[in-house]
Amino acid sequence: MSWLENVRISLRGLNANKLRSSLTVLGILIGVGAVIILVAVGTGSSQAVQNRIKALGTNTITVLGTGRFGRGPATTGTQTRAATLTAADVGLLQDRTQAPDILTVSPVDSTSVTATNGAATSTMTVTGTTPTYIGASDFQLQAGRNLTSSDVTAHTRVAVVGTTLVSDLFSAGANPIGSVISLGSLQVQIVGVLATKGSTGNNDPNAVAIIPYTTAQDRLTGYSASFSELIVQSRSSSDINAAESEAASILAGANHTTVSALPFNFLNEGSLLSTSQSTNQTFTVLLGAVAAISLLVGGIGIMNIMLVTVTERTREIGIRKAIGAPKSAILGQFLTEAVILSLIGGVAGVIIGVAGSHFRIVGVQPVLSWQSIVEAFGVAVAVGVFFGFYPANRAASMRPIDALRYE
Amino acid sequence: MAIPPPERADVAVPPPEGADIDVPPPEGPPRRPVISLRKITKVYRMGEIEVAALRGVSLDVLPGELVSVMGASGSGKSTMMNILGCLDTPSSGRYLLDGVDVRRLDETILARVRNRKIGFVFQSFNLIPRTSAVANVEMPLAYAGVGARERRARAMAALEEVGLADRAHHLPNELSGGQQQRAAVARAIATNPSLILADEPTGNLDTRSTHEIMDIFARLNQDGRTVVLITHEPEVAELTRRIVRLRDGLVLSDESTAGEHLHASDMGAR
Ligand SMILES: Nc1ncnc2c1ncn2[C@@H]1O[C@H](COP(=O)(O)OP(=O)(O)OP(=O)(O)O)[C@@H](O)[C@H]1O
Ligand SMILES: [Mg+2]
């Protein structure tokens, strides 16, 4: 008997019990759809997090000084002076021969102030730094100019501001460039506006005013000759670990201590990315596993239905055997039924899954993965064959007389 | 459309061309039996209790014979018939079908035997529900590997043979008992088997339908097929040339009524 014949007989069998067949299909559909959607959600959220981390710049290392973070002065052995990040350190780190993998070093001295423009006020972060900061922090200039080194040496009262500051302090459509605003007690002239940058957390990165660190130390943060952090930019993201160790050994040398005893924290964006990648992968696998369980349940549904079908149609099996159906034909018929159920469920599940992945789910834009579609579909069909085999084989192995006598 | 003459096993000698089936076979080498039962027993085990349905039945049926099997209820008729149809296996004894011991045949070959050599008609018709008469008749042909087009033609020919061509597309539950039984007979003869076995084919039918069915069996037999049927009705049994009576799992009598040319339509006159 041809396989086409088999399919026709099986379809007739399935058609005779439409409701039962469709409920079984539904079980597989939900399983396959859930695998595809949940894996897409997992992939989507993982990609979103990674994009945000990448937005920080994957080639930067943040060196955090301890003093300003309340960790107390570091006292190591012979040295009692608190280790701080100074302008001298910035100069050392920029040495091409000592630190060949470091591209730029931007000191950061920041504080929170109330910015005012006439009656409008807003709380802003003022970052005192150098011209390289904007590039290292993945900011982009939207209008106007960046800070210059002469601004830094001349303690110029200029600021490059973020879009939140602009929208808070200026009416819509007004050109802020050239305006003078107050940052606390400091009056600055806006010379540039930054493009809006995606948020990496709870802080709004666009509520910022960037001014020369010399100006900041004069009026806002107080002259301390030390910085809260340094943003070290490596030449490329692959050099980031080399840049980190160069920075560490230079700073250790400058502070007459060892790298391990250095009281600074190094935040390496590259390692942050790979950590988040692996946690997100775990998350995705977990979601996939939950969905796979529902697929398994769907498979057991197929087996259950096939067992019922076989029991219900035992007499039919007996008749078929009595008129000469070989074991292979009966096996083929019921196996085909199981596979058809799981195929329909699989195809419908893929359609639902792909369609469902186009909607935002709990704030995450799902990202479809071909692998999960192929795997979910393959597993669905395999489940059909696997769970269909036992009932089919049971039917096929019956002696005709036993099947005929079955009540 | 006429059904072609039945296939015969290579070992069986066909009846002489044009032989009058009313007269005893002409002189010559004895024909090999189609069916040869040797001390067949069948014991059903139900927990502790053992029921001996057959206790040593020996029986030969020659090609072209029309045999009826009678006996009280529980005498083992159906049990014997199921063994003859290769639906069941005996507890002991030998069953030679066309000279071949069926115990030596494996599942696949037995399926082929049931498909090609034997046509089985059940008392309860056993048509597959929700499946049209013609689809039911096509089923054994499908298992025989006949292509769709030829299958339909042969199924229609078989339905024509039993006078049911006009009901070909009716579902079993849309047919009367007699029509269902005729569809079942058509299914039994669709693959053109040489042996027709029928377990009380008229048991559930009224007199008129019984006539029709017996007419068909008489005709099939005249075409050269071997027919063995079980019946409770003496009128039906008397239409056959040989009556085997069973009692308590043993053959009680085996009488030939040769010489009487009987036709089902005579039945009412008796
Ligand atoms: N599957 C079975 N299990 C146990 N005992 C059985 C089984 N089938 C038949 N028997 C027993 O075997 C004996 C013969 O049964 P069988 O069906 O062959 O009788 P029968 O001659 O066909 O009767 P009837 O004319 O009523 O159909 C009976 O006593 C019956 O109870
Ligand atoms: Mg019986």
Side-chain angles (χ1 to χ4, degrees):
Chain A
M1 222 160 55
S2 73
W3 66 271
L4 205 76
E5 198 72 38
N6 244 329
V7 169
R8 205 174 303 149
I9 292 176
S10 307
L11 281 178
R12 204 181 294 145
L14 293 174
N15 208 32
N17 261 305
K18 287 192 192 68
L19 180 63
R20 187 197 291 168
S21 303
S22 34
L23 285 176
T24 315
V25 164
L26 193 65
I28 292 291
L29 183 159
I30 290 173
V32 171
V35 167
I36 293 173
I37 292 180
L38 290 187
V39 169
V41 166
T43 314
S45 79
S46 138
Q47 280 194 5
V49 169
Q50 280 166 32
N51 286 341
R52 280 187 229 151
I53 292 172
K54 278 193 190 131
L56 290 172
T58 50
N59 60 341
T60 58
I61 303 149
T62 306
V63 185
L64 294 171
T66 49
R68 293 181 68 87
F69 287 80
R71 292 198 187 101
T75 43
T76 47
T78 57
Q79 179 203 5
T80 51
R81 174 178 76 88
T84 52
L85 298 165
T86 62
D89 291 334
V90 175
L92 286 172
L93 291 174
Q94 279 170 330
D95 184 336
R96 278 287 157 82
T97 51
Q98 290 271 9
D101 294 306
I102 292 175
L103 184 65
T104 67
V105 181
S106 319
V108 172
D109 217 354
S110 61
T111 187
S112 187
V113 299
T114 303
T116 29
N117 175 32
T121 64
S122 178
T123 306
M124 290 293 139
T125 302
V126 175
T127 301
T129 184
T130 55
T132 51
Y133 174 81
I134 286 176
S137 307
D138 251 22
F139 274 117
Q140 239 140 35
L141 265 180
Q142 182 183 289
R145 66 167 180 88
N146 191 358
L147 304 177
T148 60
S149 359
S150 52
D151 287 333
V152 177
T153 44
H155 299 229
T156 321
R157 294 178 187 184
V158 291
V160 176
V161 297
T163 43
T164 304
L165 184 143
V166 173
S167 59
D168 282 359
L169 297 189
F170 294 91
S171 53
N175 182 8
I177 291 177
S179 310
V180 174
I181 58 168
S182 304
L183 300 172
S185 58
L186 175 69
Q187 301 243 310
V188 293
Q189 186 181 33
I190 296 175
V191 293
V193 177
L194 298 168
T196 307
K197 184 176 158 181
S199 170
T200 55
N202 296 326
N203 293 343
D204 178 4
N206 303 302
V208 70
I210 296 165
I211 62 174
Y213 75 87
T214 47
T215 317
Q217 286 177 342
D218 286 348
R219 292 301 188 103
L220 294 174
T221 58
Y223 184 75
S224 63
S226 72
F227 303 108
S228 56
E229 58 186 77
L230 301 180
I231 308 284
V232 176
Q233 199 181 8
S234 69
R235 289 191 182 279
S236 76
S237 46
S238 55
D239 296 334
I240 190 160
N241 291 327
E244 179 180 339
S245 55
E246 285 161 17
S249 59
I250 290 169
L251 290 173
N255 287 288
H256 311 285
T257 181
T258 58
V259 169
S260 54
L262 204 60
F264 304 134
N265 283 331
F266 289 81
L267 290 186
N268 182 326
E269 308 288 12
S271 57
L272 208 60
L273 190 66
S274 60
T275 311
S276 92
Q277 250 161 2
S278 68
T279 52
N280 278 306
Q281 246 155 35
T282 315
F283 176 62
T284 307
V285 165
L286 212 68
L287 281 181
V290 169
I293 289 170
S294 75
L295 194 54
L296 184 75
V297 172
I300 293 170
I302 286 199
M303 179 149 163
N304 190 14
I305 289 306
M306 293 313 295
L307 281 172
V308 170
T309 306
V310 164
T311 310
E312 202 185 64
R313 285 159 63 188
T314 303
R315 259 187 91 81
E316 178 189 326
I317 294 164
I319 299 168
R320 285 178 184 277
K321 295 202 104 173
I323 62 172
K327 182 175 172 173
S328 60
I330 303 288
L331 188 67
Q333 177 187 339
F334 285 94
L335 209 51
T336 308
E337 282 192 20
V339 170
I340 288 177
L341 284 179
S342 57
L343 265 182
I344 296 175
V347 169
V350 167
I351 292 170
I352 297 284
V354 169
S357 300
H358 282 92
F359 299 100
R360 284 184 83 84
I361 295 162
V362 288
V364 175
Q365 181 63 52
V367 175
L368 272 175
S369 113
W370 276 110
Q371 200 193 348
S372 77
I373 294 176
V374 171
E375 274 174 11
F377 186 75
V379 167
V381 175
V383 153
V385 174
F386 182 80
F387 287 106
F389 188 81
Y390 171 71
N393 193 48
R394 214 171 78 154
S397 305
M398 277 185 157
R399 291 196 312 156
I401 194 68
D402 294 335
L404 278 170
R405 283 220 188 95
Y406 189 87
E407 312 265 89
Chain B
M1 207 185 285
I3 290 271
E7 280 174 21
R8 299 205 164 266
D10 33 4
V11 286
V13 181
E17 206 52 54
D20 185 350
I21 42 171
D22 287 333
V23 300
E27 295 303 311
R31 288 182 293 168
R32 187 203 291 254
V34 182
I35 290 168
S36 180
L37 296 181
R38 288 286 168 271
K39 297 205 183 98
I40 292 287
T41 71
K42 179 72 185 180
V43 179
Y44 291 110
R45 203 162 274 111
M46 299 163 74
E48 296 291 289
I49 314 153
E50 286 192 350
V51 180
L54 295 177
R55 298 188 295 149
V57 171
S58 297
L59 184 72
D60 281 341
V61 178
L62 296 176
E65 275 198 289
L66 174 54
V67 182
S68 59
V69 179
M70 299 192 74
S73 185
S75 55
K77 304 183 297 294
S78 295
T79 305
M80 184 181 86
M81 201 59 128
N82 292 335
I83 291 169
L84 291 180
C86 298
L87 303 176
D88 206 353
T89 47
S91 305
S92 73
R94 292 215 305 160
Y95 169 25
L96 305 183
L97 178 63
D98 274 333
V100 180
D101 192 336
V102 295
R103 258 184 321 192
R104 299 214 322 267
L105 306 178
D106 69 14
E107 244 313 298
T108 320
I109 297 184
L110 276 179
R112 195 137 82 223
V113 166
R114 289 192 286 260
N115 187 237
R116 316 275 170 88
K117 194 172 278 186
I118 300 170
F120 207 102
V121 180
F122 301 89
Q123 176 175 0
S124 49
F125 321 141
N126 274 344
L127 294 172
I128 293 181
R130 293 184 294 269
T131 307
S132 70
V134 67
N136 262 286
V137 178
E138 277 185 27
M139 217 162 275
L141 294 167
Y143 290 126
V146 177
R149 198 178 284 249
E150 194 195 338
R151 196 160 70 210
R152 179 54 56 110
R154 284 175 66 173
M156 287 308 295
L159 283 171
E160 195 123 353
E161 178 88 5
V162 299
L164 208 62
D166 55 333
R167 295 282 190 283
H169 296 284
H170 286 229
L171 298 180
N173 59 6
E174 297 164 355
L175 296 172
S176 74
Q179 289 169 336
Q180 286 186 56
Q181 192 59 299
R182 279 191 276 160
V185 172
R187 185 179 63 187
I189 63 175
T191 55
N192 204 13
S194 54
L195 176 61
I196 308 281
L197 302 173
D199 187 349
E200 296 195 44
T202 59
N204 284 337
L205 304 181
D206 64 10
T207 323
R208 204 177 130 245
S209 301
T210 300
H211 283 201
E212 289 169 354
I213 295 293
M214 287 311 293
D215 267 340
I216 294 167
F217 281 125
R219 195 146 21 90
L220 290 171
N221 180 242
Q222 272 157 28
D223 288 344
R225 288 181 182 80
T226 312
V227 178
V228 179
L229 58 91
I230 295 176
T231 184
H232 271 302
E233 300 153 82
E235 301 90 341
V236 170
E238 278 167 29
L239 296 173
T240 63
R241 287 188 307 283
R242 183 177 168 195
I243 300 174
V244 174
R245 288 195 165 79
L246 295 188
R247 183 199 278 170
D248 295 339
L250 288 168
V251 176
L252 176 71
S253 70
D254 185 349
E255 55 192 63
S256 280
T257 55
E260 274 186 273
H261 183 185
L262 297 166
H263 201 261
S265 48
D266 305 341
M267 201 175 95
R270 279 166 192 275

